[in-house]
């Protein structure tokens, strides 16, 4: 029941850099609409224009794949 619910990361970079100490919750896309989630997966930009910090990779999904993944994540809302 906590799958994709966010958690502290068990690893850190070996050199100083911007870093996110925790993975955010993505089940249900709690911080985005489904459409915003699809744009994020295509562009790597959040609705406010910011980018996630490492270790999040910069995904570049196709429009169809982004829409499918965003729909799936949104379906996981409780």
């Amino acid at each position: 029941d906590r799958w994709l619910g966010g958690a502290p990361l068990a690893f850190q970079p070996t050199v100083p850099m911007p870093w996110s100490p925790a993975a955010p919750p993505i089940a249900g896309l709690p911080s985005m609409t489904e459409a915003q989630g699809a744009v994020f997966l295509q562009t790597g930009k959040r609705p406010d224009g910011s980018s996630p910090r490492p270790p999040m990779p910069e995904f570049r999904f196709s429009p169809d794949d982004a829409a499918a993944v965003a729909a799936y994540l949104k379906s996981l809302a409780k």
Side-chain angles (χ1 to χ4, degrees):
D1 63 354
R2 293 175 36 187
W3 187 61
L4 299 177
L9 298 177
F11 56 92
Q12 296 181 20
T14 58
V15 297
M17 66 171 54
W19 189 259
S20 181
I26 61 172
L29 287 178
S31 65
M32 297 180 202
T33 66
E34 188 174 320
Q36 289 170 330
V39 170
F40 173 74
L41 291 171
Q42 291 175 77
T43 67
K45 298 289 183 190
R46 293 185 184 107
D48 67 3
S50 67
S51 297
R53 291 180 286 173
M56 176 71 179
E58 292 185 17
F59 292 115
R60 297 294 185 262
F61 284 40
S62 71
D64 289 343
D65 287 349
V69 171
Y72 171 70
L73 291 173
K74 201 60 158 172
S75 77
L76 299 176
K78 291 185 177 189

